[in-house]
Amino acid sequence: MATTLPAPVLHERGTPGYKRLGVAMWCAGLATFVLVYCVQALLPTLAAQFGVSSSTSSLVLSATTGTLALAVVPLSAVAESWGRRRVMTVALGASAVLGLLAPFAPTFAALVGIRALQGVALAALPALAMAHVTAEVAPRWLGGAVGLLIAGNTLGGLSGRLVAGFVSDVAGWRVALGVIGLLSLGCMVAFRALLPPTLAPTPPKVRLRELGRPLRTHLRDPGLLCLFGVAFLLMGSFVTVYNYLGFRLLAAPFDLPGWLTGLIFLGYVAGTGASTGAGRLGDRIGRRKVMWGAVAVAIVGGWVTLPDVLPTVVAGLLLVTVGFFGAHSVASSWVGRRASLLPGGAPGQASSLYLFCYYAGSSVGGALGGVAFDLAGWTGLVGFVTLLLGGALTLALTLRRIRAPQP
């Protein structure tokens, strides 16, 4: 007679396992965003160093997010059955090694190529991190746990940009990228040491040809499609603002020095609190309301940056950051929860589809935003960002008419 194994006791908020898991995943998020977005602070320097336009310089970022987006779905689906702990460690280690090679790139094309390989190396990590948190944490605490993971993303984005910007001013962009590589390597060591033993059983082995059925399940669900669209539009708008604000502040009428321009990335501090707070608030009052408010805040923030007044620009940037991370925190935790309730759904694959759209938005939106900036300046860029965020708000409002799946 077959026996049914008892369900694993998952991590509850406040327990040692929950705390260790939270800090370990925070380190993973930190390392990922340090590596991916450190070059954002270097775009004006790279444009001048290699003699390319502002939109072309953004290829060092778009190459990473683009290859990450292309590889995230197949790699994360297959890699999950290899053991999430092992795969996440290897992904962090390989991407850190490539980060240490980046300073030796002899040409702009070589640098873009190394950055593209980093995207492939990191591809399995973000989706597996979300899937791991979803599988290991009790559902009632999931929003806060995912918020902590995204807070690590936030701090990684901040520290990568600040460290790269300051070190570049002192010792050049090559040394800056070397320091970032060492920082990410340290995060990998801390992640592996802190991550508690896995509670949930390892998923069965998956072959690429077996991905079709859950893929169709996810792409037929209107709620997940809306959340995927929100990810694409949110990230495209957010990356556009941060990619090109440095070019604006270095030019007239601001004429700020490079080291001071790098301080704009301190706006990421606001995103740390917003991601954790929005996740917990969504658990209490409902995800839809929190997402609507967060996207609306980001739209207002974009328009506040328009006047050529530095305090106003900073205030608008803070609003964009808070709105983005608040909405992203809610949407990303919602994807895994909704997929787990769908017949035939796979939370890990759903998270990877979300991240495909997220990083595709970064790659495509960041590049098109540069074209808008080159053609029409900051006003054109704000118009482009408003268009993207307006689409995200429309999709978020559509979610209220879509019923939650019944378990």
Short mmCIF file of all heavy atoms in Angstrom, two decimals, residues 29-100:
data_model
loop_
_atom_site.label_atom_id
_atom_site.label_comp_id
_atom_site.label_asym_id
_atom_site.label_seq_id
_atom_site.Cartn_x
_atom_site.Cartn_y
_atom_site.Cartn_z
N GLY A 29 20.72 38.12 -4.41
CA GLY A 29 20.19 39.27 -5.12
C GLY A 29 21.21 40.38 -5.24
O GLY A 29 21.33 41.05 -6.28
N LEU A 30 21.98 40.58 -4.17
CA LEU A 30 23.03 41.60 -4.18
C LEU A 30 24.05 41.31 -5.28
O LEU A 30 24.39 42.19 -6.09
CB LEU A 30 23.71 41.63 -2.81
CG LEU A 30 24.91 42.57 -2.64
CD1 LEU A 30 24.45 44.01 -2.69
CD2 LEU A 30 25.62 42.29 -1.32
N ALA A 31 24.54 40.06 -5.32
CA ALA A 31 25.56 39.70 -6.32
C ALA A 31 25.02 39.84 -7.74
O ALA A 31 25.72 40.34 -8.63
CB ALA A 31 26.03 38.27 -6.08
N THR A 32 23.78 39.41 -7.96
CA THR A 32 23.21 39.48 -9.30
C THR A 32 23.14 40.92 -9.79
O THR A 32 23.58 41.24 -10.90
CB THR A 32 21.79 38.87 -9.30
OG1 THR A 32 21.87 37.51 -8.87
CG2 THR A 32 21.18 38.91 -10.70
N PHE A 33 22.59 41.80 -8.98
CA PHE A 33 22.40 43.17 -9.44
C PHE A 33 23.70 43.97 -9.44
O PHE A 33 23.85 44.91 -10.22
CB PHE A 33 21.32 43.85 -8.60
CG PHE A 33 19.95 43.75 -9.19
CD1 PHE A 33 19.42 42.52 -9.54
CD2 PHE A 33 19.19 44.87 -9.44
CE1 PHE A 33 18.18 42.40 -10.11
CE2 PHE A 33 17.93 44.77 -10.02
CZ PHE A 33 17.42 43.54 -10.36
N VAL A 34 24.65 43.61 -8.57
CA VAL A 34 25.97 44.24 -8.64
C VAL A 34 26.59 43.99 -10.01
O VAL A 34 27.10 44.90 -10.66
CB VAL A 34 26.89 43.69 -7.52
CG1 VAL A 34 28.35 43.91 -7.86
CG2 VAL A 34 26.59 44.39 -6.20
N LEU A 35 26.53 42.73 -10.45
CA LEU A 35 27.16 42.37 -11.71
C LEU A 35 26.41 42.94 -12.92
O LEU A 35 27.02 43.45 -13.86
CB LEU A 35 27.24 40.85 -11.83
CG LEU A 35 28.28 40.17 -10.95
CD1 LEU A 35 28.05 38.67 -10.92
CD2 LEU A 35 29.69 40.48 -11.44
N VAL A 36 25.09 42.84 -12.88
CA VAL A 36 24.32 43.24 -14.06
C VAL A 36 24.37 44.76 -14.25
O VAL A 36 24.59 45.25 -15.37
CB VAL A 36 22.86 42.76 -13.94
CG1 VAL A 36 22.01 43.34 -15.07
CG2 VAL A 36 22.80 41.24 -13.98
N TYR A 37 24.18 45.52 -13.18
CA TYR A 37 23.94 46.95 -13.34
C TYR A 37 25.10 47.86 -12.94
O TYR A 37 24.97 49.09 -12.97
CB TYR A 37 22.67 47.35 -12.57
CG TYR A 37 21.44 46.78 -13.23
CD1 TYR A 37 20.79 45.68 -12.68
CD2 TYR A 37 20.97 47.29 -14.43
CE1 TYR A 37 19.68 45.13 -13.31
CE2 TYR A 37 19.87 46.74 -15.06
CZ TYR A 37 19.23 45.66 -14.49
OH TYR A 37 18.15 45.12 -15.12
N CYS A 38 26.26 47.29 -12.60
CA CYS A 38 27.40 48.15 -12.25
C CYS A 38 27.81 49.05 -13.41
O CYS A 38 28.28 50.17 -13.21
CB CYS A 38 28.58 47.29 -11.80
SG CYS A 38 29.25 46.19 -13.08
N VAL A 39 27.61 48.58 -14.66
CA VAL A 39 28.06 49.37 -15.81
C VAL A 39 27.18 50.59 -16.06
O VAL A 39 27.56 51.48 -16.82
CB VAL A 39 28.09 48.50 -17.09
CG1 VAL A 39 29.15 47.42 -16.99
CG2 VAL A 39 26.73 47.90 -17.37
N GLN A 40 26.01 50.63 -15.41
CA GLN A 40 25.12 51.77 -15.65
C GLN A 40 25.79 53.09 -15.26
O GLN A 40 25.63 54.10 -15.92
CB GLN A 40 23.82 51.58 -14.87
CG GLN A 40 22.63 52.29 -15.47
CD GLN A 40 21.34 51.81 -14.87
OE1 GLN A 40 21.25 51.55 -13.68
NE2 GLN A 40 20.31 51.69 -15.69
N ALA A 41 26.56 53.07 -14.16
CA ALA A 41 27.27 54.27 -13.74
C ALA A 41 28.44 54.60 -14.66
O ALA A 41 28.95 55.73 -14.64
CB ALA A 41 27.77 54.10 -12.31
N LEU A 42 28.88 53.63 -15.46
CA LEU A 42 30.05 53.82 -16.31
C LEU A 42 29.68 54.20 -17.75
O LEU A 42 30.59 54.40 -18.57
CB LEU A 42 30.89 52.54 -16.34
CG LEU A 42 31.36 52.00 -14.98
CD1 LEU A 42 32.12 50.68 -15.18
CD2 LEU A 42 32.23 53.02 -14.27
N LEU A 43 28.40 54.30 -18.07
CA LEU A 43 28.01 54.52 -19.46
C LEU A 43 28.61 55.81 -20.04
O LEU A 43 29.15 55.78 -21.16
CB LEU A 43 26.48 54.54 -19.60
CG LEU A 43 25.78 53.20 -19.33
CD1 LEU A 43 24.28 53.34 -19.58
CD2 LEU A 43 26.35 52.09 -20.20
N PRO A 44 28.56 56.97 -19.34
CA PRO A 44 29.21 58.15 -19.92
C PRO A 44 30.71 57.96 -20.12
O PRO A 44 31.28 58.41 -21.13
CB PRO A 44 28.92 59.25 -18.89
CG PRO A 44 27.68 58.80 -18.19
CD PRO A 44 27.81 57.30 -18.12
N THR A 45 31.38 57.29 -19.17
CA THR A 45 32.82 57.04 -19.29
C THR A 45 33.12 56.13 -20.48
O THR A 45 34.05 56.38 -21.26
CB THR A 45 33.35 56.39 -18.00
OG1 THR A 45 33.11 57.27 -16.90
CG2 THR A 45 34.83 56.09 -18.11
N LEU A 46 32.36 55.05 -20.64
CA LEU A 46 32.58 54.13 -21.75
C LEU A 46 32.28 54.78 -23.09
O LEU A 46 32.97 54.52 -24.09
CB LEU A 46 31.71 52.88 -21.56
CG LEU A 46 32.06 52.01 -20.35
CD1 LEU A 46 31.04 50.89 -20.19
CD2 LEU A 46 33.46 51.43 -20.49
N ALA A 47 31.25 55.65 -23.12
CA ALA A 47 30.94 56.35 -24.36
C ALA A 47 32.11 57.22 -24.79
O ALA A 47 32.48 57.27 -25.98
CB ALA A 47 29.68 57.20 -24.18
N ALA A 48 32.71 57.92 -23.82
CA ALA A 48 33.87 58.77 -24.14
C ALA A 48 35.11 57.94 -24.45
O ALA A 48 35.87 58.25 -25.38
CB ALA A 48 34.14 59.72 -22.97
N GLN A 49 35.33 56.88 -23.69
CA GLN A 49 36.53 56.05 -23.85
C GLN A 49 36.58 55.38 -25.22
O GLN A 49 37.62 55.32 -25.87
CB GLN A 49 36.56 54.99 -22.75
CG GLN A 49 37.73 54.03 -22.81
CD GLN A 49 39.01 54.67 -22.32
OE1 GLN A 49 38.97 55.55 -21.48
NE2 GLN A 49 40.15 54.24 -22.86
N PHE A 50 35.42 54.85 -25.67
CA PHE A 50 35.39 54.10 -26.92
C PHE A 50 34.82 54.90 -28.08
O PHE A 50 34.70 54.37 -29.19
CB PHE A 50 34.59 52.81 -26.72
CG PHE A 50 35.25 51.82 -25.81
CD1 PHE A 50 34.80 51.63 -24.51
CD2 PHE A 50 36.34 51.07 -26.24
CE1 PHE A 50 35.40 50.71 -23.67
CE2 PHE A 50 36.96 50.16 -25.40
CZ PHE A 50 36.49 49.98 -24.11
N GLY A 51 34.42 56.15 -27.85
CA GLY A 51 33.93 57.00 -28.92
C GLY A 51 32.60 56.54 -29.50
O GLY A 51 32.43 56.52 -30.72
N VAL A 52 31.65 56.16 -28.64
CA VAL A 52 30.35 55.71 -29.10
C VAL A 52 29.27 56.63 -28.52
O VAL A 52 29.51 57.40 -27.60
CB VAL A 52 30.07 54.25 -28.69
CG1 VAL A 52 31.07 53.31 -29.35
CG2 VAL A 52 30.11 54.08 -27.17
N SER A 53 28.05 56.55 -29.08
CA SER A 53 26.95 57.38 -28.62
C SER A 53 26.39 56.86 -27.29
O SER A 53 26.71 55.74 -26.87
CB SER A 53 25.83 57.41 -29.66
OG SER A 53 25.23 56.12 -29.76
N SER A 54 25.53 57.66 -26.66
CA SER A 54 24.94 57.25 -25.39
C SER A 54 24.10 55.99 -25.56
O SER A 54 24.15 55.07 -24.73
CB SER A 54 24.10 58.39 -24.81
OG SER A 54 23.11 58.81 -25.74
N SER A 55 23.32 55.91 -26.63
CA SER A 55 22.50 54.73 -26.84
C SER A 55 23.34 53.50 -27.15
O SER A 55 23.02 52.38 -26.72
CB SER A 55 21.48 54.97 -27.96
OG SER A 55 22.12 55.39 -29.14
N THR A 56 24.46 53.66 -27.89
CA THR A 56 25.35 52.53 -28.17
C THR A 56 26.06 52.06 -26.92
O THR A 56 26.24 50.85 -26.70
CB THR A 56 26.38 52.92 -29.24
OG1 THR A 56 25.71 53.33 -30.43
CG2 THR A 56 27.30 51.75 -29.56
N SER A 57 26.46 52.99 -26.06
CA SER A 57 27.15 52.59 -24.83
C SER A 57 26.28 51.71 -23.96
O SER A 57 26.78 50.87 -23.20
CB SER A 57 27.59 53.83 -24.04
OG SER A 57 26.48 54.51 -23.49
N SER A 58 24.97 51.87 -24.06
CA SER A 58 24.06 51.07 -23.23
C SER A 58 24.06 49.59 -23.61
O SER A 58 23.48 48.76 -22.91
CB SER A 58 22.63 51.62 -23.31
OG SER A 58 22.06 51.38 -24.59
N LEU A 59 24.73 49.24 -24.73
CA LEU A 59 24.81 47.83 -25.13
C LEU A 59 25.55 46.99 -24.09
O LEU A 59 25.30 45.78 -24.00
CB LEU A 59 25.51 47.70 -26.48
CG LEU A 59 24.70 48.16 -27.70
CD1 LEU A 59 25.56 48.06 -28.96
CD2 LEU A 59 23.44 47.32 -27.86
N VAL A 60 26.45 47.58 -23.31
CA VAL A 60 27.15 46.79 -22.29
C VAL A 60 26.17 46.32 -21.21
O VAL A 60 26.43 45.33 -20.53
CB VAL A 60 28.31 47.57 -21.65
CG1 VAL A 60 29.41 47.83 -22.65
CG2 VAL A 60 27.84 48.86 -21.00
N LEU A 61 25.07 47.02 -21.05
CA LEU A 61 24.01 46.58 -20.14
C LEU A 61 22.98 45.72 -20.87
O LEU A 61 22.60 44.65 -20.40
CB LEU A 61 23.33 47.79 -19.50
CG LEU A 61 22.13 47.51 -18.59
CD1 LEU A 61 22.53 46.57 -17.45
CD2 LEU A 61 21.58 48.81 -18.03
N SER A 62 22.55 46.19 -22.05
CA SER A 62 21.53 45.44 -22.80
C SER A 62 22.00 44.06 -23.21
O SER A 62 21.20 43.12 -23.30
CB SER A 62 21.12 46.24 -24.04
OG SER A 62 20.50 47.46 -23.67
N ALA A 63 23.32 43.89 -23.46
CA ALA A 63 23.83 42.57 -23.83
C ALA A 63 23.64 41.57 -22.69
O ALA A 63 23.26 40.41 -22.92
CB ALA A 63 25.31 42.67 -24.19
N THR A 64 23.89 42.02 -21.46
CA THR A 64 23.72 41.12 -20.31
C THR A 64 22.26 40.79 -20.08
O THR A 64 21.90 39.61 -19.91
CB THR A 64 24.31 41.78 -19.05
OG1 THR A 64 25.65 42.18 -19.31
CG2 THR A 64 24.29 40.81 -17.88
N THR A 65 21.41 41.80 -20.05
CA THR A 65 20.00 41.54 -19.78
C THR A 65 19.34 40.80 -20.95
O THR A 65 18.42 40.01 -20.74
CB THR A 65 19.25 42.85 -19.51
OG1 THR A 65 19.46 43.78 -20.59
CG2 THR A 65 19.76 43.50 -18.22
N GLY A 66 19.82 41.05 -22.16
CA GLY A 66 19.25 40.36 -23.33
C GLY A 66 19.53 38.87 -23.32
O GLY A 66 18.63 38.05 -23.52
N THR A 67 20.80 38.49 -23.11
CA THR A 67 21.13 37.05 -23.08
C THR A 67 20.53 36.38 -21.85
O THR A 67 20.13 35.21 -21.90
CB THR A 67 22.64 36.83 -23.11
OG1 THR A 67 23.25 37.57 -22.03
CG2 THR A 67 23.24 37.26 -24.43
N LEU A 68 20.45 37.12 -20.76
CA LEU A 68 19.81 36.58 -19.56
C LEU A 68 18.34 36.26 -19.85
O LEU A 68 17.84 35.20 -19.48
CB LEU A 68 19.93 37.59 -18.41
CG LEU A 68 19.70 37.09 -16.98
CD1 LEU A 68 20.34 38.05 -15.98
CD2 LEU A 68 18.22 36.93 -16.66
N ALA A 69 17.67 37.19 -20.54
CA ALA A 69 16.26 36.97 -20.87
C ALA A 69 16.09 35.76 -21.78
O ALA A 69 15.18 34.95 -21.58
CB ALA A 69 15.69 38.23 -21.54
N LEU A 70 16.96 35.61 -22.78
CA LEU A 70 16.82 34.50 -23.72
C LEU A 70 17.08 33.15 -23.07
O LEU A 70 16.46 32.15 -23.43
CB LEU A 70 17.80 34.70 -24.89
CG LEU A 70 17.48 35.86 -25.84
CD1 LEU A 70 18.62 36.03 -26.84
CD2 LEU A 70 16.16 35.62 -26.56
N ALA A 71 18.00 33.11 -22.09
CA ALA A 71 18.38 31.83 -21.50
C ALA A 71 17.61 31.48 -20.24
O ALA A 71 17.65 30.33 -19.80
CB ALA A 71 19.88 31.84 -21.17
N VAL A 72 16.89 32.44 -19.65
CA VAL A 72 16.33 32.22 -18.31
C VAL A 72 15.28 31.11 -18.29
O VAL A 72 15.24 30.30 -17.36
CB VAL A 72 15.76 33.54 -17.74
CG1 VAL A 72 14.55 34.03 -18.52
CG2 VAL A 72 15.41 33.38 -16.27
N VAL A 73 14.42 31.02 -19.31
CA VAL A 73 13.34 30.02 -19.26
C VAL A 73 13.88 28.60 -19.40
O VAL A 73 13.63 27.75 -18.52
CB VAL A 73 12.27 30.32 -20.33
CG1 VAL A 73 11.22 29.22 -20.35
CG2 VAL A 73 11.60 31.67 -20.05
N PRO A 74 14.63 28.26 -20.47
CA PRO A 74 15.09 26.87 -20.57
C PRO A 74 16.08 26.48 -19.48
O PRO A 74 16.00 25.37 -18.92
CB PRO A 74 15.75 26.80 -21.96
CG PRO A 74 16.07 28.21 -22.30
CD PRO A 74 15.02 29.05 -21.65
N LEU A 75 17.01 27.38 -19.13
CA LEU A 75 18.01 27.02 -18.14
C LEU A 75 17.41 26.82 -16.76
O LEU A 75 17.72 25.85 -16.06
CB LEU A 75 19.10 28.10 -18.07
CG LEU A 75 20.28 27.96 -19.02
CD1 LEU A 75 21.31 29.04 -18.75
CD2 LEU A 75 20.93 26.58 -18.86
N SER A 76 16.55 27.74 -16.34
CA SER A 76 15.99 27.64 -14.99
C SER A 76 15.08 26.42 -14.86
O SER A 76 15.04 25.77 -13.81
CB SER A 76 15.23 28.92 -14.63
OG SER A 76 14.19 29.16 -15.54
N ALA A 77 14.34 26.07 -15.93
CA ALA A 77 13.45 24.92 -15.87
C ALA A 77 14.23 23.62 -15.74
O ALA A 77 13.90 22.74 -14.93
CB ALA A 77 12.56 24.88 -17.11
N VAL A 78 15.27 23.47 -16.52
CA VAL A 78 16.07 22.25 -16.48
C VAL A 78 16.95 22.22 -15.23
O VAL A 78 17.09 21.19 -14.57
CB VAL A 78 16.93 22.14 -17.75
CG1 VAL A 78 17.87 20.93 -17.65
CG2 VAL A 78 16.05 22.01 -18.98
N ALA A 79 17.51 23.38 -14.87
CA ALA A 79 18.46 23.43 -13.76
C ALA A 79 17.80 23.18 -12.42
O ALA A 79 18.46 22.74 -11.47
CB ALA A 79 19.17 24.78 -13.74
N GLU A 80 16.50 23.44 -12.29
CA GLU A 80 15.84 23.26 -11.00
C GLU A 80 15.93 21.82 -10.52
O GLU A 80 16.09 21.55 -9.33
CB GLU A 80 14.37 23.70 -11.10
CG GLU A 80 13.68 23.74 -9.74
CD GLU A 80 12.34 24.45 -9.79
OE1 GLU A 80 11.88 24.78 -10.89
OE2 GLU A 80 11.76 24.65 -8.72
N SER A 81 15.86 20.87 -11.45
CA SER A 81 15.94 19.46 -11.05
C SER A 81 17.37 19.02 -10.78
O SER A 81 17.60 17.90 -10.31
CB SER A 81 15.33 18.57 -12.14
OG SER A 81 16.00 18.75 -13.37
N TRP A 82 18.36 19.86 -11.05
CA TRP A 82 19.75 19.55 -10.71
C TRP A 82 20.08 19.92 -9.27
O TRP A 82 21.18 19.64 -8.80
CB TRP A 82 20.71 20.29 -11.65
CG TRP A 82 20.57 19.94 -13.09
CD1 TRP A 82 19.97 18.82 -13.61
CD2 TRP A 82 21.02 20.70 -14.21
NE1 TRP A 82 20.03 18.85 -14.99
CE2 TRP A 82 20.67 19.99 -15.39
CE3 TRP A 82 21.69 21.90 -14.35
CZ2 TRP A 82 20.96 20.46 -16.66
CZ3 TRP A 82 21.99 22.38 -15.61
CH2 TRP A 82 21.62 21.66 -16.76
N GLY A 83 19.15 20.60 -8.60
CA GLY A 83 19.39 21.05 -7.24
C GLY A 83 19.59 22.55 -7.23
O GLY A 83 20.57 23.06 -7.77
N ARG A 84 18.64 23.25 -6.61
CA ARG A 84 18.70 24.72 -6.64
C ARG A 84 19.95 25.25 -5.95
O ARG A 84 20.56 26.21 -6.43
CB ARG A 84 17.43 25.30 -6.00
CG ARG A 84 16.18 25.13 -6.87
CD ARG A 84 15.01 25.87 -6.28
NE ARG A 84 14.52 25.27 -5.06
CZ ARG A 84 13.49 24.44 -4.99
NH1 ARG A 84 12.85 24.10 -6.10
NH2 ARG A 84 13.09 23.93 -3.84
N ARG A 85 20.33 24.66 -4.82
CA ARG A 85 21.53 25.14 -4.10
C ARG A 85 22.76 25.07 -4.99
O ARG A 85 23.54 26.03 -5.09
CB ARG A 85 21.75 24.30 -2.84
CG ARG A 85 20.75 24.51 -1.72
CD ARG A 85 20.88 23.42 -0.67
NE ARG A 85 22.22 23.35 -0.12
CZ ARG A 85 22.63 24.02 0.97
NH1 ARG A 85 21.77 24.80 1.61
NH2 ARG A 85 23.85 23.91 1.42
N ARG A 86 22.97 23.92 -5.63
CA ARG A 86 24.16 23.72 -6.46
C ARG A 86 24.18 24.68 -7.65
O ARG A 86 25.19 25.33 -7.93
CB ARG A 86 24.21 22.28 -6.96
CG ARG A 86 25.44 21.95 -7.80
CD ARG A 86 25.36 20.56 -8.41
NE ARG A 86 25.17 19.54 -7.39
CZ ARG A 86 24.07 18.80 -7.28
NH1 ARG A 86 23.06 18.97 -8.14
NH2 ARG A 86 23.96 17.89 -6.34
N VAL A 87 23.05 24.77 -8.34
CA VAL A 87 23.01 25.59 -9.55
C VAL A 87 23.18 27.07 -9.22
O VAL A 87 23.91 27.79 -9.93
CB VAL A 87 21.70 25.35 -10.32
CG1 VAL A 87 21.58 26.30 -11.50
CG2 VAL A 87 21.63 23.91 -10.81
N MET A 88 22.55 27.53 -8.17
CA MET A 88 22.69 28.95 -7.81
C MET A 88 24.14 29.29 -7.44
O MET A 88 24.66 30.35 -7.79
CB MET A 88 21.75 29.31 -6.67
CG MET A 88 20.28 29.38 -7.09
SD MET A 88 19.16 30.07 -5.82
CE MET A 88 19.13 28.72 -4.63
N THR A 89 24.81 28.36 -6.75
CA THR A 89 26.22 28.59 -6.39
C THR A 89 27.10 28.65 -7.64
O THR A 89 27.96 29.53 -7.77
CB THR A 89 26.71 27.48 -5.45
OG1 THR A 89 25.87 27.43 -4.30
CG2 THR A 89 28.13 27.75 -5.00
N VAL A 90 26.90 27.70 -8.55
CA VAL A 90 27.70 27.68 -9.79
C VAL A 90 27.44 28.94 -10.62
O VAL A 90 28.38 29.54 -11.18
CB VAL A 90 27.38 26.41 -10.60
CG1 VAL A 90 28.01 26.49 -11.99
CG2 VAL A 90 27.86 25.17 -9.86
N ALA A 91 26.19 29.36 -10.69
CA ALA A 91 25.86 30.56 -11.47
C ALA A 91 26.56 31.78 -10.91
O ALA A 91 27.13 32.60 -11.65
CB ALA A 91 24.35 30.76 -11.48
N LEU A 92 26.54 31.93 -9.58
CA LEU A 92 27.20 33.07 -8.96
C LEU A 92 28.71 33.01 -9.17
O LEU A 92 29.35 34.04 -9.46
CB LEU A 92 26.89 33.10 -7.46
CG LEU A 92 25.49 33.56 -7.06
CD1 LEU A 92 25.28 33.35 -5.56
CD2 LEU A 92 25.29 35.01 -7.43
N GLY A 93 29.29 31.82 -9.04
CA GLY A 93 30.74 31.69 -9.22
C GLY A 93 31.18 31.98 -10.64
O GLY A 93 32.16 32.72 -10.87
N ALA A 94 30.47 31.43 -11.64
CA ALA A 94 30.85 31.64 -13.04
C ALA A 94 30.72 33.11 -13.43
O ALA A 94 31.58 33.67 -14.12
CB ALA A 94 29.98 30.77 -13.95
N SER A 95 29.64 33.75 -12.99
CA SER A 95 29.45 35.16 -13.34
C SER A 95 30.48 36.05 -12.67
O SER A 95 30.93 37.04 -13.25
CB SER A 95 28.03 35.61 -12.97
OG SER A 95 27.78 35.39 -11.60
N ALA A 96 30.92 35.67 -11.45
CA ALA A 96 31.97 36.45 -10.78
C ALA A 96 33.30 36.32 -11.51
O ALA A 96 34.04 37.31 -11.67
CB ALA A 96 32.11 35.98 -9.33
N VAL A 97 33.62 35.12 -11.99
CA VAL A 97 34.86 34.93 -12.75
C VAL A 97 34.84 35.76 -14.03
O VAL A 97 35.84 36.41 -14.39
CB VAL A 97 35.06 33.44 -13.07
CG1 VAL A 97 36.20 33.25 -14.07
CG2 VAL A 97 35.35 32.66 -11.79
N LEU A 98 33.72 35.76 -14.74
CA LEU A 98 33.60 36.60 -15.94
C LEU A 98 33.72 38.09 -15.57
O LEU A 98 34.29 38.87 -16.34
CB LEU A 98 32.27 36.34 -16.63
CG LEU A 98 32.16 35.00 -17.36
CD1 LEU A 98 30.71 34.70 -17.74
CD2 LEU A 98 33.04 35.00 -18.62
N GLY A 99 33.20 38.44 -14.39
CA GLY A 99 33.36 39.82 -13.95
C GLY A 99 34.81 40.20 -13.75
O GLY A 99 35.21 41.35 -13.99
N LEU A 100 35.63 39.24 -13.32
CA LEU A 100 37.05 39.51 -13.15
C LEU A 100 37.80 39.57 -14.49
O LEU A 100 38.89 40.15 -14.57
CB LEU A 100 37.68 38.43 -12.25
CG LEU A 100 37.20 38.45 -10.79
CD1 LEU A 100 37.71 37.22 -10.05
CD2 LEU A 100 37.66 39.72 -10.08
#
